[in-house]
Amino acid sequence: MKYRLLAGGSVLVVAAVLSACSTSSDSAGDSGDGRTTVDVWLMRDSVSAAFQKEFVKGFEAEHPEIRAKVQVQEWDGIGQKITAALAGNDAPDVIEVGNTQVAQFASSGGLLDLSDSKGELKGEDWLKGLAEPGSYEGRQYGIPYYAANRVVVHRTDLFERAGIDAAAIRTREQWIEATTKLNKGDTQGIYLPGQLWYALGGFIWDEGGDFATGSGDEWKGALDTPEALRGMEFYKRLQALGKGPKDSDEDDPPQAEVMAKGQVAQILATPGLANAVIESNPRLKGKLGFFPIPGKTAGTPGAVFTGGSDLVIPAAAGDPDEALTLVKELTGETWQKKLALAMSYVPNRTSLASAVADDPGASAMAVGAANGRATPNTPGWAAVEAENPVKDYMTAVLVGGDASKEAAKASQDITRAMNANS
């Protein structure tokens, strides 16, 4: 889920409703002054208060016939809240949702089909990792908003001391060689917890595999394919070059706290996590750098899970045309560049990557985002994440279990979970 990906990041806390402050009585669309009110739900921490205020002011100046009323929502419990809103008659006009949530809401019939607007929204240039999960059964319901993905956060001083040029690490084998060199004495070459399944996904995708494959309405777990097993084998090699726990994920203990202790050369995280590391250990200020997760070959960066958000318009929206106008602006070139600079996000289009060229962390993310992927695009994937047999599988292999047998068991669990309601 997106909120997991952005946890501990550099985003600022959004204050409250920072629009033109219309009252709840104008939620039907008439603001009382002849303008149409567009009700917008944005998620906590997705943008800063300053950016939100700037956008609302700029949008209303460009479209004086529309009033933008923004409400900030919490990630906790948002799925149920959106489901209820989509089923009712008072849904907001625009909702920000995590990119992997779109299929769940589209399958209920509660979202407006925006396929006919892809051309004017420059859909041919959207990041694959946002665009694909924004579609359902061949139709586009989610419009890519922004992206964030993991990079290698590393200690530049430890790399220099070991004589390693981070910029020269372009392949997975070069990465293993460098990490092995760093993994000496009290220093961990990399801190990689055993259940960081998003990272495993990247290695599996690099090999041509996936978590599951679909045929019609039926899905089948695919961790036991040769491609997926090769991805797990690489994860195991990398994980062994540090002291990461084999039975927990990046939150237990928090990666930032572990790196702040000063004995870790690398972690896999969004760039914003570097701020949390420095907050815990100010002596590391100026000693953290970023590079894209390497791929199998030098010409292609490693595949990464693209987290982020899409914007959707409920089928029950009172003012869908005005809602689409707002979506066009917020996902268009001007505001995408401003958002990327304000929040260190990756813009929604590959052609806009240059907007973050001067931000080391965001530019490293942008390289990886070009090869970004998402989890299987089906409502059934939510059941897999809730149960998460992938984590149990990873731990079982890392503690010495037979990879093929454990993968077959996990694949069966994935198949069962994904098809439970079919």
Side-chain angles (χ1 to χ4, degrees):
M1 296 289 292
K2 170 190 166 296
Y3 70 89
R4 288 287 303 279
L5 181 62
L6 297 182
S10 60
V11 294
L12 302 177
V13 175
V14 181
V17 179
L18 291 171
S19 66
C21 300
S22 53
T23 66
S24 59
S25 62
D26 57 47
S27 61
D30 183 1
S31 65
D33 56 5
R35 293 192 289 173
T36 298
T37 295
V38 174
D39 290 305
V40 184
W41 284 3
L42 295 182
M43 299 309 302
R44 174 74 63 186
D45 294 346
S46 69
V47 297
S48 68
F51 176 85
Q52 183 178 312
K53 185 176 183 179
E54 181 185 5
F55 171 74
V56 170
K57 181 178 179 181
F59 174 78
E60 293 183 345
E62 186 72 18
H63 302 277
E65 76 282 7
I66 303 175
R67 181 190 296 263
K69 180 183 177 182
V70 181
Q71 296 181 348
V72 177
Q73 305 295 323
E74 302 292 340
W75 282 106
D76 187 26
I78 190 59
Q80 295 91 329
K81 188 171 184 177
I82 292 176
T83 298
L86 297 181
N89 296 319
D90 58 349
D93 299 292
V94 179
I95 305 176
E96 174 191 347
V97 300
N99 60 326
T100 61
Q101 296 176 321
V102 177
Q104 173 187 351
F105 300 131
S107 67
S108 70
L111 300 183
L112 199 65
D113 182 352
L114 302 175
S115 302
D116 292 341
S117 299
K118 285 181 66 175
E120 58 186 319
L121 292 169
K122 309 297 182 183
E124 73 282 353
D125 193 30
W126 286 336
L127 292 176
K128 181 180 179 181
L130 290 180
E132 287 189 350
S135 67
Y136 179 68
E137 295 186 340
R139 308 299 293 175
Q140 196 73 37
Y141 295 92
I143 305 304
Y145 181 21
Y146 64 84
N149 50 264
R150 289 171 177 79
V151 300
V152 183
V153 182
H154 69 285
R155 285 276 300 276
T156 56
D157 56 331
L158 296 181
F159 270 62
E160 291 172 2
R161 192 181 306 164
I164 299 171
D165 179 6
I169 301 176
R170 304 290 299 280
T171 69
R172 294 197 325 199
E173 288 306 316
Q174 291 172 340
W175 190 22
I176 287 287
E177 181 180 350
T179 305
T180 300
K181 192 173 182 180
L182 291 160
N183 193 41
K184 303 293 183 182
D186 293 331
T187 299
Q188 298 184 55
I190 187 169
Y191 177 81
L192 183 59
Q195 296 182 346
L196 187 53
W197 66 276
Y198 292 115
L200 172 65
F203 303 148
I204 290 175
W205 293 325
D206 280 340
E207 297 289 349
D210 209 333
F211 290 108
T213 56
S215 178
D217 294 332
E218 294 296 314
W219 286 83
K220 181 180 180 182
L223 290 177
D224 54 345
T225 62
E227 296 83 0
L229 287 168
R230 288 198 297 269
M232 183 64 218
E233 176 57 29
F234 180 78
Y235 191 102
K236 184 176 181 179
R237 290 176 63 196
L238 188 64
Q239 202 271 340
L241 299 176
K243 301 176 182 177
K246 294 177 172 59
D247 59 352
S248 63
D249 61 20
E250 67 271 33
D251 293 327
D252 185 21
Q255 288 192 106
E257 294 180 6
V258 176
M259 194 173 200
K261 294 179 181 179
Q263 297 177 324
V264 171
Q266 304 172 89
I267 59 172
L268 304 184
T270 53
L273 200 69
N275 290 341
V277 174
I278 294 169
E279 287 177 4
S280 295
N281 185 355
R283 291 175 297 178
L284 295 182
K285 186 175 183 179
K287 297 180 180 180
L288 298 179
F290 316 92
F291 61 88
I293 294 175
K296 291 191 69 176
T297 61
T300 305
V304 292
F305 170 76
T306 302
S309 285
D310 282 16
L311 298 177
V312 299
I313 299 177
D319 301 287
D321 292 338
E322 289 80 1
L324 184 58
T325 297
L326 185 141
V327 169
K328 288 178 182 177
E329 290 285 356
L330 194 49
T331 62
E333 180 173 350
T334 297
W335 288 102
Q336 279 293 300
K337 288 182 176 179
K338 289 178 180 289
L339 179 64
L341 292 174
M343 306 303 298
S344 295
Y345 286 154
V346 178
N348 64 358
R349 304 185 207 167
T350 57
S351 61
L352 301 181
S354 60
V356 293
D358 294 332
D359 184 318
S363 60
M365 274 200 302
V367 172
N371 196 22
R373 297 281 297 273
T375 50
N377 189 20
T378 170
W381 183 255
V384 177
E385 289 202 20
E387 183 179 331
N388 215 326
V390 183
K391 287 186 173 183
D392 294 336
Y393 158 64
M394 296 173 72
T395 294
V397 174
L398 294 175
V399 299
D402 181 274
S404 296
K405 292 181 180 179
E406 296 296 342
K409 177 182 176 183
S411 294
Q412 290 176 358
D413 290 338
I414 291 173
T415 299
R416 173 183 48 75
M418 295 187 78
N419 297 299
N421 296 317
S422 62

